[in-house]
């Protein structure tokens, strides 16, 4: 799974960027396969909102759980870390936890 955590270079996923209103996402992509108060799902793509951050639902994070979408540079779920680093370069910061590895704006 790739999770987009903050505004990135070319930070579009399925034509949606962070900060886009949920209404604009639905206008662009149509009816979601699942809709919750804080999340819109389109197949393997989820657009989420932290209700504590803003009273109006805007895209606060995006997740991809399958190959339904790729980054602007062609990275998709299942690609190797080597491919990610070949395309995006070595990270300035990394952090690991028991359940996840962080590189720049990615959680994998």
């Amino acid at each position: 799974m790739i999770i987009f955590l903050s505004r990135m270079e070319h930070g579009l996923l399925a034509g949606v960027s962070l900060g886009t209103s949920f209404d604009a996402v639905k206008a662009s992509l149509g009816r979601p396969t699942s809709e919750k108060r804080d999340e819109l799902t389109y197949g393997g793509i989820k657009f989420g909102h932290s209700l504590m951050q803003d009273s109006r639902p805007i895209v606060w994070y995006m997740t991809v759980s399958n190959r339904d979408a790729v980054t602007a540079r062609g990275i998709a779920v299942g690609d190797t870390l080597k491919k990610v680093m070949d395309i995006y370069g070595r990270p300035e910061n990394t952090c690991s936890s028991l359940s996840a590895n962080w590189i720049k704006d990615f959680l994998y």
Side-chain angles (χ1 to χ4, degrees):
M1 177 182 298
I2 298 173
I3 299 179
F4 299 94
L5 300 169
S6 61
R7 216 170 273 285
M8 302 176 313
E9 172 190 354
H10 310 295
L12 290 176
L13 182 63
V16 176
S17 64
L18 296 173
T20 302
S21 72
F22 274 23
D23 288 340
V25 173
K26 290 187 275 187
S28 175
L29 299 179
R31 183 180 175 150
T33 53
S34 172
E35 182 174 358
K36 299 177 185 173
R37 184 172 169 210
D38 63 346
E39 188 174 82
L40 300 175
T41 302
Y42 292 85
I45 305 169
K46 290 184 181 183
F47 301 100
H49 170 68
S50 173
L51 295 175
M52 295 175 61
Q53 300 298 327
D54 196 324
S55 60
R56 63 186 177 91
I58 61 168
V59 176
W60 190 254
Y61 64 88
M62 304 178 232
T63 67
V64 182
S65 60
N66 60 23
R67 295 185 76 87
D68 279 355
V70 297
T71 69
R73 296 186 189 182
I75 295 296
V77 170
D79 288 340
T80 65
L81 181 57
K82 180 183 180 327
K83 182 176 179 182
V84 172
M85 289 176 41
D86 285 349
I87 291 173
Y88 284 97
R90 291 201 57 81
E92 296 171 12
N93 301 305
T94 62
C95 177
S96 294
S97 71
L98 294 176
S99 62
N101 296 307
W102 301 75
I103 296 181
K104 285 188 179 178
D105 290 331
F106 297 99
L107 173 68
Y108 66 92

